[in-house]
Amino acid sequence: MSLALWLSRRPVLPVLAVVAALALPLSGGGEGGAGPADAVSALVVGYCVLRLLRERRRPLSRTAAVVLGLPVAGTALAAMGAVSPGAGFAGLGRYLQVFVLVPAAVVLLLRDRRDVRLLVWTLIGLALWEGAVGVKQYVTATGASYQGEDIRAVGTFGAQDVMGMATVVSFGLICAVGVALGGGTAPTPSSASAPTPARERVIAGVCALALLLPLALSFSRGAWIATTLTLTVQLALSGPRRALKVGAVALAAGVVLVGGLGVGTAMLQERLGSITQVADAPDQSVTDRYTMWAAATGMWREHPLTGVGLKGFPEYRDGHASLALSSGSDTAGAGAGFRRQPLLSPHNMYLLVLGEQGLTGLLCLAGSWLALLVLGLRGLWATRTTRAAGGREYGVIGCGLLVWLLVDFMYADIGGPSTVLTAVALGLVAWWALVGGAERGRSARIAAGGVPAVPVARGAGVL
């Protein structure tokens, strides 16, 4: 079978290639910028454009175009005020890639529930791979440096992107929990060997439990907080009875891993304890973060509407930061030598946008996310009121991924090779909010005797 025929039958395959490219090892001495997956994502966007031109159809409805295109306005305005044309162009390209182009391409290339299922399990598979590499790094002391020991699990992303593996594992854990809670998918005639719903839920549950260990060994406080809150939301959406059962299993697994097996007990307890000390006795990394947050806020006060321009934070940082800011963070291990990594962002997505794009950019970007959250929750509610369980797991996953990002963005921002996975995750979120969940809402209105609504994304796949 030719490649063209494969792509015509399964247009989601290029999206899966983006996820697979993240499993490739990166050079330890890189700058932590774009990687192979970014190049593949550009090809995916180009393929999607060519596909739309060939089919000559309107890709998205007005609602979907506004929601996905809203970040363009604030980003383009901030690009015009950048410190240099090159910085403005680079920043504009990055923001459009992560928050507009790749998510829109994912929405358009996901045709039906089987495509979504493939993407979800690919994310879980990537998380298991990166998690396995991370556990091996901890056991063999070949990971990134942490408190003088090379034990921090970073997967294939290296010491320059210590949040990379934690992000991948968190996404995989959210997807696995969503499948385990959402009811699974039934076998299709074209896939008679597919697992039964009960079997798929069990497999997903086992994968979720397996991913708890590498997430713990990432020593990422931000990922721990975001994942804990997200899983709590997912459990709440699944119902109180199921939430109690799954919560009991997760608690038992945590006791076995940490209490029974003694997995990183001392360091994990110290790292967990440091979460409550961010105000009373913060370490240097927390102090640096607070200082950069204050610097970003100072930039916004001077330029409240449009900010200092894209990629402007490093240029204006020293003029707004106090003397408490260190010169950089130390990175080493995972195949790379010691290096002093400069602090070029405030590690807070909201403050980064506020400082560089002003209130205009923040309202546009956060408005798009809020719209996706509202639409996603509405679609998820429709599956509950109509008792239409089919596809509900993808609503739990989509809403979960967005909640994780919204929480994680409070102490992290975009940057590094793993950023492209954020774009793919946002595409999955947008698919549920604008296509899958909207179709469930349409079914609910039909069942209630109302007037059928027009699908919000013409030509895209539905449940």
Side-chain angles (χ1 to χ4, degrees), residues 263-282:
V263 178
T265 305
M267 288 189 175
L268 284 177
Q269 289 180 349
E270 181 183 349
R271 191 66 166 172
L272 283 170
S274 68
I275 295 177
T276 61
Q277 299 172 356
V278 294
D280 298 332

Side-chain angles (χ1 to χ4, degrees), residues 23-100:
L24 300 176
L26 300 172
S27 60
E31 294 292 331
D38 292 282
V40 178
S41 72
L43 296 176
V44 170
V45 173
Y47 166 73
C48 187
V49 171
L50 292 176
R51 184 181 177 88
L52 293 175
L53 292 176
R54 186 184 63 183
E55 296 180 357
R56 298 180 181 179
R57 61 180 174 87
R58 180 182 175 183
L60 296 171
S61 73
R62 192 172 304 166
T63 301
V66 169
V67 172
L68 290 175
L70 193 57
V72 176
T75 305
L77 185 62
M80 293 188 290
V83 292
S84 68
F89 182 79
L92 179 63
R94 189 61 158 171
Y95 274 90
L96 292 183
Q97 174 205 18
V98 177
F99 299 116
V100 180

Side-chain angles (χ1 to χ4, degrees), residues 352-390:
L352 175 63
V353 175
L354 192 64
E356 293 188 345
Q357 302 183 35
L359 194 59
T360 302
L362 182 61
L363 289 176
C364 290
L365 197 58
S368 175
W369 299 337
L370 181 60
L372 289 176
L373 182 61
V374 171
L375 293 172
L377 289 174
R378 187 175 69 175
L380 195 57
W381 178 255
T383 67
R384 186 185 186 94
T385 55
T386 60
R387 299 184 181 274

Side-chain angles (χ1 to χ4, degrees), residues 2-19:
S2 66
L3 178 60
L5 185 57
W6 268 101
L7 291 177
S8 64
R9 293 185 176 181
R10 275 286 168 264
V12 73
L13 291 178
V15 179
L16 304 185
V18 175
V19 179

Side-chain angles (χ1 to χ4, degrees), residues 135-461:
V135 172
K136 179 178 182 294
Q137 290 171 336
Y138 176 84
V139 173
T140 60
T142 56
S145 178
Y146 178 76
Q147 294 187 355
E149 300 181 55
D150 294 343
I151 58 172
R152 186 168 189 175
V154 292
T156 62
F157 295 98
Q160 305 301 321
D161 188 10
V162 293
M163 280 293 296
M165 189 211 74
T167 300
V168 170
V169 170
S170 297
F171 286 172
L173 181 57
I174 292 168
C175 290
V177 169
V179 174
L181 294 176
T185 54
T188 60
S190 61
S191 181
S193 61
T196 63
R199 182 182 176 188
E200 187 172 3
R201 291 198 299 271
V202 171
I203 294 174
V206 172
C207 292
L209 292 176
L211 290 173
L212 291 176
L213 179 58
L215 180 62
L217 298 180
S218 70
F219 294 100
S220 173
R221 293 172 294 197
W224 292 347
I225 295 172
T227 304
T228 300
L229 292 177
T230 300
L231 296 185
T232 302
V233 171
Q234 287 185 300
L235 290 175
L237 293 174
S238 69
R241 184 180 302 177
R242 185 172 293 178
L244 289 175
K245 291 181 181 179
V246 178
V249 173
L251 180 62
V255 171
V256 171
L257 286 175
V258 179
L261 301 179
V263 178
T265 305
M267 288 189 175
L268 284 177
Q269 289 180 349
E270 181 183 349
R271 191 66 166 172
L272 283 170
S274 68
I275 295 177
T276 61
Q277 299 172 356
V278 294
D280 298 332
D283 55 30
Q284 185 58 48
S285 65
V286 176
T287 300
D288 287 339
R289 191 160 300 187
Y290 285 163
T291 304
M292 291 188 294
W293 289 1
T297 304
M299 298 175 197
W300 167 67
R301 288 172 179 167
E302 290 187 359
H303 307 272
L305 291 180
T306 60
V308 297
L310 294 184
K311 298 286 187 178
F313 182 85
E315 298 292 332
Y316 290 86
R317 182 199 62 186
D318 293 341
H320 295 82
S322 68
L323 296 178
L325 182 66
S326 65
S327 59
S329 60
D330 297 337
T331 61
F338 175 83
R339 182 183 175 191
R340 192 73 172 165
Q341 189 169 357
L343 303 174
L344 302 179
S345 72
H347 295 287
N348 182 306
M349 192 67 206
Y350 304 106
L351 292 180
L352 175 63
V353 175
L354 192 64
E356 293 188 345
Q357 302 183 35
L359 194 59
T360 302
L362 182 61
L363 289 176
C364 290
L365 197 58
S368 175
W369 299 337
L370 181 60
L372 289 176
L373 182 61
V374 171
L375 293 172
L377 289 174
R378 187 175 69 175
L380 195 57
W381 178 255
T383 67
R384 186 185 186 94
T385 55
T386 60
R387 299 184 181 274
R392 179 178 172 80
E393 63 269 33
Y394 303 126
V396 175
I397 292 171
C399 293
L401 290 173
L402 185 55
V403 169
W404 192 94
L405 288 171
L406 293 178
V407 175
D408 183 71
F409 279 161
M410 294 180 183
Y411 32 76
D413 48 48
I414 59 175
S418 60
T419 298
V420 70
L421 192 65
T422 299
V424 174
L426 281 173
L428 189 55
V429 170
W431 177 87
W432 171 257
L434 300 171
V435 182
E439 180 65 15
R440 305 313 291 174
R442 178 173 178 267
S443 300
R445 285 188 290 272
I446 294 175
V451 178
V454 178
V456 294
R458 295 185 176 89

